[in-house]
């Protein structure tokens, strides 16, 4: 890809920001669910819900298809959720970019040329691994590896693969089918996603 293709257009910034704001609100609401009704599901099992927090990284990259899209979109969403009063507060200023960088790595490894399903699944899984490893050391440091940490990491990675990976691909395809992504490669290559 040449440097011109890697430059962000104004529409790229706007769409990534809109996704970030929308998912920041979703994150805030998802946190209420996680710490409210879903609290009835004991950890590590509740990690099955985790993948929602990683969708903007994969979705942003699949739509924008430029270096930094996964990082920007998820980091922006994390910051919006902090501004809205997320129960995890300022810790998300660190955790959001770590998760985003892990997802970004998958697209970078493929030179920002491959945005197909396997790469989206890899990005989602890497983000889930980064998120869950952060969690077990920061939020659950006194837990046992066998009965909590490893199952938590595994369940989070699978949730991320399914929800953030498959979910983002499905959402990108659905949006492309409506024509709203026609100004993006994802809209012009509908069958490729």
């Amino acid at each position: 890809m040449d440097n011109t293709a890697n430059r962000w257009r104004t529409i790229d910034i706007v769409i990534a920001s809109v996704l970030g704001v929308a998912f920041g609100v979703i994150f805030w609401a998802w946190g209420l669910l996680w710490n409210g009704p879903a609290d009835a599901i004991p950890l590590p099992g509740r990690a099955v819900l985790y993948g929602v927090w990683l969708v903007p990284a994969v979705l942003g990259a699949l739509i924008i298809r430029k270096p930094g899209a996964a990082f920007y979109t998820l980091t922006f969403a994390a910051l919006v959720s902090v501004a809205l009063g997320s129960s995890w507060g300022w810790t998300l200023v660190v955790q959001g970019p770590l998760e985003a960088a892990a997802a970004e790595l998958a697209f970078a490894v493929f030179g920002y040329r491959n945005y197909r399903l396997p790469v989206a699944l890899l990005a989602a899984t890497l983000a889930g691994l980064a998120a869950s490893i952060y969690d077990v050391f920061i939020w659950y440091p006194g837990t046992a590896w066998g009965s909590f940490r490893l199952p938590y990491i595994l369940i989070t990675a699978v949730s991320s693969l399914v929800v953030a990976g498959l979910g983002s691909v499905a959402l990108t395809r659905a949006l492309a089918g409506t024509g709203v992504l026609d100004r993006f490669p994802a809209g012009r290559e509908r069958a490729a996603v």
Side-chain angles (χ1 to χ4, degrees), residues 31-40:
L32 296 176
L33 175 69
W34 180 274
N35 291 316
D39 199 33

Side-chain angles (χ1 to χ4, degrees), residues 16-28:
S17 298
V18 168
L19 287 171
V21 170
F23 275 95
V25 173
I26 291 168
F27 287 0
W28 172 80

Side-chain angles (χ1 to χ4, degrees), residues 109-180:
V109 164
F110 289 91
Y112 297 101
R113 290 187 176 113
N114 186 339
Y115 293 89
R116 297 188 189 282
L117 179 63
V119 178
L121 297 179
L122 177 62
T125 304
L126 290 176
L129 289 171
S132 57
I133 291 168
Y134 177 92
D135 285 352
V136 299
F137 285 103
I138 301 302
W139 296 109
Y140 311 116
T143 56
W145 278 97
S147 62
F148 184 89
R149 290 183 183 201
L150 289 177
Y152 182 83
I153 292 168
L154 180 62
I155 293 167
T156 301
V158 170
S159 172
S160 302
L161 182 139
V162 172
V163 178
L166 291 174
S168 292
V169 169
L171 188 52
T172 302
R173 287 179 179 167
L175 289 170
T178 68
V180 298

